[in-house]
Amino acid sequence: MYQNVSPLHFPNGFMWGGATAANQVEGAWNEGGKGMTVQDCLPYREVGVADFTKQFAFSSQDLEEALAAGEDANYPKRRAIDFYHHYKEDIASFAEMGYKVLRVSICWSRIYTDPRDPEPNEEGIAYYEDMFRELRAHGIEPLVTLSHYDPPLALVTDYQGWYSRECIDLFVKYARTCFERFGRYVKYWLTFNEVDAMLRHAVTSGGLIEDRFPGMEFEEVIYQAMHHQMVASAKAVKLCHELVPDAQVGCMMTKLMFYPYTCKPEDNLATQQRMRSIYRYVDIQVLGEYPRYLLTEIERKGYEVEMRPEDTRILREGTVDFVSFSYYMTSCMAGDTTGLDMAPGNTVNGVKNPHLPSSEWGWQTDPTGLRISLVELYDRYRKPLFIVENGLGAKDVVSEDGCVHDPYRMEYLADHVRAMSDAINVDGVDLIGYTWWGCIDLVSESTRQMSKRYGFIYVDMDDYGNGTFKRIKKDSFNYYKQVIESNGENLSFEA
């Protein structure tokens, strides 16, 4: 258990809530004028939970198989949890918990069936407008991600993913539509989810399939695609400030946290280099320019990344208002990992920390690491921070009494709330909100499982598409309600 240094306290107006992503909850993949996305083509795979290479591998052959797949094929994101048809019921449950904010994403392919279409899909516009009105009616602030691992499939089939510079203008057109049509409801926006992640899973972050770049160094392709996303993000930030003057736009990063495995200088250097690779693209979005270490890396590797003269100005003019991030666990780094135990994490592997417990998926729980992360981010960027993903995936079971008893989730939440309080009150961090990831059970991004459950609300659906979509409130539902009602100051519970 994390031990508080100071009494629990959160500022008035602190935004408590939950977080989801369209591709992991909506379903209805072929309804309402929605076009196909990359996520509609990712199958369920029976591989080890730590084998990310096999989970995220995706080839042109995989795409062909997905396009030819029948209705019985197991593509979990196509059905998800059917939030598309249950959103009013679910939002009412979120309001019952007392949410001040709900993080959602917009599916680009619901707004533009084909990203090249001159006009948006009005069915998709109506769906999101109604969802945002429903949130507002319950006093819940929408926090909206424009692109959450969900590129339109046309970017893959008809372009070269984000390697194609044409994607910038397509994205800005989509963003403009979102700002113009939803700006009256939405005051908090994020551009790209976990913007640093393309090197780890290129297809969901960038619409990049490696075998479509024969004879090219794939890492160089990714660097170019990332540059285009940086330009697109900066343009969207500036556009939002013009069209929705009272809005705030943030960036979103994967806050991976690595400790040196030992005090050997080699382990410390390896850790520093790993952390730099995590921060580099957020550095651009916050500071408005490439960090020298990234430019040096690109040059050292002999890569040619096209950066047009106007890009420098665009990046400088499109800096974000706040920094948001996901945080789940920590790992260790060593200069030489030979013979060391490795532990899985949020789409990465690291050296196992012998001092930390692990979840059923091997993620090492570390609330102190959250406090350290908050301090590091605030000291580095001096921008308000927003934790937009934090949570525990577990194999929840519906008991004979029809309930889901999950004290492990309540304990995880309590420890991380304590760490947040100390970061605010002891370390002086400006933290504006907290949204628990997967506040309702959803399809896992890393393993595409339903059995890896995060939510305060259980959804009757398994990994193979069997179930009724019935919602059941877990014990943690009322516990989070208590936490929010007390503004984070009542964390007591009976295990």
Side-chain angles (χ1 to χ4, degrees), residues 65-127:
E65 291 176 359
L67 294 176
E71 292 184 4
D72 295 334
N74 194 0
Y75 288 83
K77 302 293 184 69
R78 296 185 181 186
R79 60 180 177 269
I81 63 165
D82 199 29
F83 182 78
Y84 186 82
H85 295 108
H86 289 78
Y87 68 92
K88 292 189 177 182
E89 168 193 350
D90 293 337
I91 289 171
S93 294
F94 301 152
E96 184 182 343
M97 273 189 280
Y99 283 17
K100 313 302 180 187
V101 59
L102 180 70
R103 182 189 176 206
V104 299
S105 69
I106 295 174
C107 176
W108 184 348
S109 292
R110 282 203 193 278
I111 303 301
Y112 284 92
T113 306
D114 185 305
R116 294 161 295 193
D117 289 345
E119 300 296 331
N121 167 38
E122 290 298 331
E123 281 189 86
I125 295 285
Y127 165 70

Side-chain angles (χ1 to χ4, degrees), residues 204-333:
T204 53
S205 291
L208 304 173
I209 299 177
E210 187 169 1
D211 63 39
R212 295 191 165 219
F213 298 91
M216 300 179 67
E217 181 65 46
F218 193 52
E219 187 180 52
E220 184 174 8
V221 170
I222 292 174
Y223 281 121
Q224 184 66 68
M226 281 302 315
H227 178 71
H228 293 154
Q229 282 197 353
M230 291 296 98
V231 174
S233 177
K235 283 191 165 189
V237 170
K238 184 179 180 183
L239 184 62
C240 186
H241 287 155
E242 293 170 355
L243 296 177
V244 194
D246 56 342
Q248 295 187 47
V249 190
C251 60
M252 197 282 191
M253 69 175 295
T254 321
K255 185 56 183 78
L256 301 172
M257 177 75 195
F258 293 92
Y259 300 116
Y261 186 64
T262 73
C263 58
K264 290 195 299 187
E266 294 83 1
D267 290 355
N268 280 266
L269 179 61
T271 304
Q272 182 187 64
Q273 295 298 321
R274 187 66 180 268
M275 294 306 299
R276 268 185 155 188
S277 72
I278 294 165
Y279 286 130
R280 53 189 172 183
Y281 288 108
V282 180
D283 284 355
I284 297 172
Q285 292 179 300
V286 175
L287 304 175
E289 62 182 11
Y290 270 70
R292 287 190 62 185
Y293 65 84
L294 178 53
L295 293 173
T296 300
E297 179 180 321
I298 292 170
E299 181 180 0
R300 177 172 51 82
K301 291 182 176 182
Y303 296 159
E304 294 184 6
V305 176
E306 182 192 16
M307 300 182 187
R308 297 186 180 178
E310 65 268 24
D311 293 350
T312 300
R313 173 185 52 80
I314 292 169
L315 295 177
R316 187 175 61 249
E317 293 179 350
T319 56
V320 296
D321 303 305
F322 64 95
V323 175
S324 75
F325 63 97
S326 60
Y327 176 88
Y328 296 98
M329 35 60 67
T330 61
S331 299
C332 294
M333 277 295 296

Side-chain angles (χ1 to χ4, degrees), residues 373-391:
S373 295
L374 286 164
V375 172
E376 283 189 355
L377 286 169
Y378 192 62
D379 285 354
R380 187 182 188 100
Y381 297 125
R382 300 300 173 97
K383 294 272 189 181
L385 303 181
F386 206 137
I387 301 170
V388 295
E389 290 186 29
N390 175 240

